[in-house]
Amino acid sequence: MSAPARPRIPTPGDLARSQNAPNAIPAPTPAAAVVAEPEHTRTPDTVAAVEEAAGTPAAGASEEPPTRRPMYEPRPLTAEEAIAPGVLADTEYFRRTFRYAVTCSSLPPHARLLAYDLLFRSDHKSGRIGSTHQPDIVQLAEATGLTEAQAGVALRILHSRGWLAYRPATTTEDGRARRRLYDLVIPALDLERARARRYLRHQ
């Protein structure tokens, strides 16, 4: 009758394997083991995992790069058309477009400052300044910190470059003429430049 077998003394390797068993990294699941779930229980993560295992691109992935839109080119304008009031599109808001066009323009600092002050006084949709909100030179100088002479020069610059449109002066009941009224407009050339610059920013 043979003697009972003695239990094998564990080796250091056995002890290391037993200690690292809870932290062991599971082997990767083969592609064949990935089973597609029913469509009504699928999630985006599940669909991506199944398609990745099958070697197909995930939903929404496009093999062809998106086509770029053609560059926006300002339409050619004559000298008279360049300073004529530009026509806004239905999607363009006057106050936002005017402020952006001034930023893109070559107006000197004093003219820009005066334009922003007049923009605050004008109608935000049309740029029209009501008769009761028409400032004089003294009011413009006080609001902007310019001298009256500087405010007058800035007004003339805005008008000569097409940013200010004058309305005929009205008369009082006793026949005395009032000073002329003015409204804000965007010159057609500066409007085209602002549109081109906005297009480049959104590329």
Side-chain angles (χ1 to χ4, degrees):
M1 185 174 181
S2 61
R6 296 181 179 180
R8 187 173 66 87
I9 299 175
T11 64
D14 295 333
L15 296 176
R17 282 192 294 271
S18 62
Q19 292 176 358
N20 294 333
N23 300 326
I25 301 176
T29 305
V34 179
V35 181
E37 298 181 5
E39 292 187 0
H40 67 278
T41 61
R42 288 186 180 184
T43 63
D45 295 336
T46 304
V47 175
V50 173
E51 292 179 344
E52 182 180 356
T56 57
S62 176
E63 296 180 358
E64 299 181 358
T67 57
R68 293 177 60 87
R69 293 181 299 172
M71 294 295 294
Y72 181 86
E73 297 183 0
R75 60 189 180 91
L77 300 171
T78 63
E80 294 182 357
E81 292 174 341
I83 62 174
V87 180
L88 297 179
D90 295 337
T91 56
E92 292 176 321
Y93 193 67
F94 179 84
R95 176 167 291 181
R96 180 172 56 249
T97 306
F98 182 91
R99 185 170 58 247
Y100 187 72
V102 170
T103 303
C104 302
S105 71
S106 58
L107 287 172
H110 290 172
R112 292 189 182 205
L113 181 60
L114 205 69
Y116 289 138
D117 181 79
L118 293 174
L119 181 63
F120 175 76
R121 304 171 187 270
S122 66
D123 183 81
H124 61 94
K125 292 183 178 180
S126 63
R128 186 179 181 88
I129 303 176
S131 57
T132 58
H133 295 86
Q134 294 278 337
D136 55 21
I137 294 296
V138 176
Q139 293 173 323
L140 289 174
E142 292 177 351
T144 58
L146 304 173
T147 64
E148 294 182 16
Q150 290 173 331
V153 172
L155 276 177
R156 288 193 292 272
I157 292 175
L158 291 176
H159 179 253
S160 62
R161 296 195 183 184
W163 295 89
L164 207 58
Y166 288 116
R167 276 186 277 157
T170 58
T171 56
T172 59
E173 295 180 356
D174 55 3
R176 290 183 301 175
R178 293 177 176 173
R179 58 184 174 84
R180 55 188 175 184
L181 308 178
Y182 37 78
D183 300 322
L184 292 179
V185 291
I186 306 174
L189 179 60
D190 290 276
L191 180 59
E192 291 293 323
R193 289 175 176 173
R195 287 169 175 168
R197 185 170 177 178
R198 185 186 295 112
Y199 176 88
L200 292 176
R201 288 185 59 185
H202 289 80
Q203 285 299 305

